[in-house]
Amino acid sequence: MDLKNNLEAAIVAARKAGEFLIENKNQTKKVLVEHGRDIKIELDRECENLIRDELKSTQIEIYGEEFGGVISSDVISWVVDPIDGTANYFRGIDQCCISIALMEGMKSKIGVIYNFNTDEIFHASSGNGAFLNEKEIRVSDISDVSKASLFTGFPASESIESQSLFLKNLAVWKKIRMFGSAALSCAYVASGKGDYYAEKGIYLWDFAAGICLVEEAGGKAEFSLIDDDRYSVKFSNGKL
Ligand code: IPD
């Protein structure tokens, strides 16, 4: 697998998508679906199409949040979230990004997460380290929960009992942050801005790029399927 050229292709695609989302930042946005806590806007689809066009030359399958595609244990695929943190983008909050991963089965070989609002591009490829813009990043070395920051999201469809347990488990951390972007939460663990990211009920495209980033930055990425396509994830600095 050509990691160098594919990483370059993912960065170019993420930057182009970022330009497009910046251009449209202050425009009225058309909502396509509002279901439970999820929101999908027309720009999600337009942005995924733009990324698909950019990645076409790599001749690799594409699996994206908006248009689906192929993902399986014996296929190499791009995994694309055109806007992670759509609700933030919709309301003008800058915690949102583009997330592009290259997956070989369930192994994340390349991860690119681009916060176009702050022009921060997090990128990693297997065996070559993780970077924020051009600076190498590492996870934190905090090993005491009472000194550590947890990033998470409120569980979407859980029973009252498990919501109570979720709240109880929060109490042990020094700080809790809910950014509304799984991908950025992963990138922040990789760059030592926080120490642990845990969430239940998210999709592969939300965290696929984060796996490579966190692992290459020296951390640990654990995830398991909890239903057809939703995952429970725990990404950490490896010391907690
Ligand atoms: C969402 C974000 C959010 C998480 C949601 C995701 P989207 O992704 O990652 O942090 O809590 O479960 O759906 O829909 O904005 O791509």
Side-chain angles (χ1 to χ4, degrees):
M1 187 190 297
D2 183 348
L3 288 180
K4 192 168 175 289
N5 283 323
N6 284 322
L7 174 62
E8 195 48 47
I11 290 174
V12 169
R15 285 204 181 278
K16 290 212 170 149
E19 268 170 40
F20 171 77
L21 293 174
I22 288 285
E23 275 164 27
N24 285 282
K25 194 171 168 177
N26 298 316
Q27 308 298 320
T28 305
K29 300 175 185 77
K30 187 172 173 198
V31 176
L32 296 181
V33 183
E34 246 190 303
H35 178 66
R37 292 187 184 149
D38 273 343
I39 175 171
K40 285 195 185 297
I41 60 176
E42 198 166 39
L43 288 167
D44 278 305
R45 299 173 77 94
E46 291 175 10
C47 189
E48 184 168 316
N49 273 328
L50 186 158
I51 295 169
R52 283 176 179 267
D53 282 349
E54 281 303 316
L55 294 177
K56 207 176 271 169
S57 62
T58 66
Q59 297 182 315
I60 295 172
E61 295 284 349
I62 301 175
Y63 176 70
E65 172 166 11
E66 304 306 319
F67 300 108
V70 177
I71 184 89
S72 81
S73 55
D74 51 2
V75 172
I76 294 174
S77 306
W78 292 110
V79 178
V80 175
D81 190 342
I83 313 176
D84 185 62
T86 301
N88 285 351
Y89 181 70
F90 184 66
R91 304 287 301 267
I93 296 171
D94 286 353
Q95 300 291 335
C96 48
C97 61
I98 292 140
S99 177
I100 302 177
L102 186 64
M103 302 282 291
E104 187 172 22
M106 289 310 281
K107 291 205 163 46
S108 179
K109 298 294 194 179
I110 286 174
V112 173
I113 293 174
Y114 182 38
N115 183 342
F116 43 91
N117 297 296
T118 55
D119 198 24
E120 289 175 297
I121 192 147
F122 298 85
H123 60 91
S125 64
S126 203
N128 299 306
F131 299 82
L132 165 51
N133 296 332
E134 289 321 312
K135 198 165 175 274
E136 187 153 23
I137 50 173
R138 297 296 293 168
V139 292
S140 69
D141 55 13
I142 293 176
S143 55
D144 178 348
V145 186
S146 69
K147 295 193 169 74
S149 294
L150 169 74
F151 303 145
T152 189
F154 198 77
S157 55
E158 295 269 342
S159 64
I160 296 293
E161 289 74 21
S162 51
Q163 285 185 347
S164 310
L165 182 64
F166 169 78
L167 292 176
K168 193 167 162 245
N169 287 338
L170 298 185
V172 296
W173 299 87
K174 184 178 176 82
K175 296 287 176 196
I176 312 290
R177 298 287 181 263
M178 295 194 195
F179 295 118
S181 165
L184 278 183
S185 301
C186 297
Y188 291 166
V189 170
S191 52
K193 295 176 199 279
D195 314 295
Y196 205 105
Y197 165 55
E199 188 160 358
K200 268 190 189 170
I202 63 170
Y203 297 94
L204 183 60
W205 48 75
D206 295 321
F207 65 92
I211 303 169
C212 188
L213 271 157
V214 169
E215 289 179 345
E216 285 299 316
K220 199 164 147 192
E222 293 176 295
F223 48 93
S224 54
L225 258 183
I226 53 175
D227 66 21
D228 287 353
D229 50 4
R230 286 179 184 257
Y231 288 80
S232 170
V233 302
K234 290 178 185 170
F235 285 18
S236 78
N237 64 5
K239 295 151 196 107
L240 287 160

